[in-house]
Amino acid sequence: MSKSKNKGNKPQQNADEKLEKQVEETAAELEETAEEKVEEAAEEIVETTEEAANEAVDEEASEEAEADGEENNEQEDSEESEESETEEEEEENEQEKAVKIPDPPVSEEEKIANEKFRNLPLVERCKQDPLIPVCVILAILALIVAGIYFLLPNAMTPSMGITLQEFQQRYNNGEVNKSLVNSGADIGFRSPPYVNINETPSILGDKEIISAKSAYADFFNGPLKYYSIGGIEGATRKSDGMLSYIRVYVQYGDSDFNTVWLYASNTISALYPELSMYQAMDIAMKAMNEFNGDERYYVKGDFAYRLVAVKKTGDGGIEYVYIVVDVVPRSALKADQIREDLDVTLATIPTSESVAETSAATT
């Protein structure tokens, strides 16, 4: 019975031992697998950490590189500006060196000699240094040449102090001409053309006292605005365009007294705009009443004027008589060329003796 029992238990015991071995092997395998997985996970974590660290390092390196680049650019800009400033300073220093040449040292003996030379009279200095009189002579010559160039033309051609345009405006807007325009007449003139004085000589001919040279003046001559019975002529200085003289002339016949009077009155009004129309007509009437062939000038203010009768041959060989109102600067006349100073005589005439009322009635 015992054998039979033992025989029955032995297979069972072997089976258990096998099972235990299988369990142990399986457990060992599981442990190995777990250890491998843990190692793999640890390796992955380490790799991930290293990559992140490397990326961070790369970003820091790039930022540092950018910062370094900006700093380098700033340094380069500052270095360039410093270099340009240095170059400018060097150029300025070179210019200062070139301009400020140090004077050679002067000894005490030379200083004493120079001081003695300065204290000498001019004649003695000229004797010792011939260059001084040469410089003085050159300076005098330069002054003479400048005077000839700038002052001689004006001295040779005195000025009336007004331009042709100013006189034309005064003449055409004179009170006498305005009153005639209102009545349907106009004794004004347009801007006259400039002419060659050799081809178009003055209407005064040999009675011309004050004239000008073509080197210093330009000459003009033209008809009146609407009437062919008269015209205007004169000269303007080349230096400043001022009038040197001006002449208004009108044809004269047996019944042309009033015509000449109106032209003369309007010319006086243009010369002296402060006068009233009747005062200008009084002055013109005085000159016409005293007309006796005396070719000297009446003077008033800065101007001088006279009435001159001349003959001129016109078309067809017909000879005409013209009355010329000749106006020149007062400064151009000599004492023996002045007939009367109206600034003196008119101031002594009482107002009641004026012919203004007669002038108005005649107009």
Side-chain angles (χ1 to χ4, degrees), residues 218-292:
D218 297 317
F219 303 88
F220 57 86
N221 196 330
L224 298 174
K225 188 184 293 185
Y226 297 113
Y227 305 108
S228 60
I229 61 172
I232 186 168
E233 70 172 41
T236 56
R237 300 197 306 185
K238 290 183 177 180
S239 59
D240 54 11
M242 294 294 177
L243 280 173
S244 178
Y245 62 84
I246 196 164
R247 294 162 185 146
V248 178
Y249 55 92
V250 59
Q251 185 178 322
Y252 179 73
D254 294 335
S255 59
D256 294 333
F257 182 89
N258 287 340
T259 302
V260 175
W261 179 38
L262 293 175
Y263 276 98
S265 300
N266 201 53
T267 303
I268 298 298
S269 179
L271 294 176
Y272 309 104
E274 69 277 7
L275 297 178
S276 67
M277 178 181 70
Y278 299 120
Q279 289 173 324
M281 296 176 75
D282 283 349
I283 294 173
M285 178 66 73
K286 172 181 172 60
M288 294 186 68
N289 288 335
E290 296 176 353
F291 183 77
N292 56 2

Side-chain angles (χ1 to χ4, degrees), residues 122-141:
L122 180 60
V123 176
E124 295 296 329
R125 279 188 284 174
C126 291
K127 289 179 180 180
Q128 295 186 18
D129 189 357
L131 186 61
I132 294 176
V134 173
C135 293
V136 172
I137 292 171
L138 291 176
I140 293 173
L141 290 175

Side-chain angles (χ1 to χ4, degrees), residues 22-271:
Q22 289 178 353
V23 171
E24 290 177 355
E25 291 176 355
T26 303
E29 291 178 356
L30 291 173
E31 288 178 359
E32 290 178 356
T33 304
E35 289 177 357
E36 291 177 356
K37 289 184 177 180
V38 170
E39 290 177 356
E40 290 177 356
E43 290 177 356
E44 289 180 357
I45 292 170
V46 171
E47 290 177 355
T48 305
T49 305
E50 290 178 352
E51 289 178 357
N54 292 331
E55 290 178 356
V57 170
D58 293 337
E59 289 179 357
E60 290 178 358
S62 63
E63 291 177 356
E64 290 177 357
E66 291 178 357
D68 292 338
E70 292 178 354
E71 291 178 357
N72 292 333
N73 292 331
E74 291 177 356
Q75 290 178 357
E76 289 177 357
D77 294 336
S78 62
E79 288 176 358
E80 289 178 356
S81 61
E82 290 176 357
E83 288 178 357
S84 61
E85 290 177 357
T86 305
E87 290 177 356
E88 291 178 355
E89 291 177 356
E90 289 178 355
E91 290 179 357
E92 291 178 356
N93 294 330
E94 289 178 357
Q95 292 177 355
E96 291 178 356
K97 289 178 181 179
V99 174
K100 297 180 179 179
I101 299 174
D103 297 330
V106 181
S107 63
E108 292 295 330
E109 295 178 355
E110 291 179 351
K111 290 181 180 179
I112 295 170
N114 292 334
E115 188 65 26
K116 288 181 179 180
F117 182 78
R118 293 192 192 97
N119 295 329
L120 289 174
L122 180 60
V123 176
E124 295 296 329
R125 279 188 284 174
C126 291
K127 289 179 180 180
Q128 295 186 18
D129 189 357
L131 186 61
I132 294 176
V134 173
C135 293
V136 172
I137 292 171
L138 291 176
I140 293 173
L141 290 175
L143 291 175
I144 293 173
V145 172
I148 292 173
Y149 185 79
F150 293 104
L151 301 178
L152 184 60
N154 293 341
M156 295 292 292
T157 311
S159 167
M160 290 178 58
I162 58 175
T163 64
L164 173 59
Q165 290 73 21
E166 289 173 339
F167 180 83
Q168 179 183 3
Q169 183 178 7
R170 291 184 188 181
Y171 184 90
N172 291 344
N173 295 327
E175 293 297 328
V176 176
N177 189 41
K178 281 185 177 180
S179 65
L180 293 175
V181 170
N182 294 333
S183 301
D186 187 353
I187 61 173
F189 66 93
R190 297 185 179 91
S191 297
Y194 282 88
V195 298
N196 186 338
I197 191 62
N198 296 322
E199 298 175 357
T200 309
S202 173
I203 192 172
L204 290 178
D206 56 1
K207 293 185 178 182
E208 186 178 35
I209 295 178
I210 303 300
S211 183
K213 292 184 178 181
S214 57
Y216 308 137
D218 297 317
F219 303 88
F220 57 86
N221 196 330
L224 298 174
K225 188 184 293 185
Y226 297 113
Y227 305 108
S228 60
I229 61 172
I232 186 168
E233 70 172 41
T236 56
R237 300 197 306 185
K238 290 183 177 180
S239 59
D240 54 11
M242 294 294 177
L243 280 173
S244 178
Y245 62 84
I246 196 164
R247 294 162 185 146
V248 178
Y249 55 92
V250 59
Q251 185 178 322
Y252 179 73
D254 294 335
S255 59
D256 294 333
F257 182 89
N258 287 340
T259 302
V260 175
W261 179 38
L262 293 175
Y263 276 98
S265 300
N266 201 53
T267 303
I268 298 298
S269 179
L271 294 176

Side-chain angles (χ1 to χ4, degrees), residues 209 287 290-298 305-309 336-340:
I209 295 178
E290 296 176 353
F291 183 77
N292 56 2
D294 190 341
E295 296 177 356
R296 292 179 299 170
Y297 289 83
Y298 294 92
Y305 64 90
R306 63 174 180 163
L307 300 182
V308 184
D336 59 353
Q337 294 173 323
I338 297 176
R339 179 175 181 174
E340 186 177 345

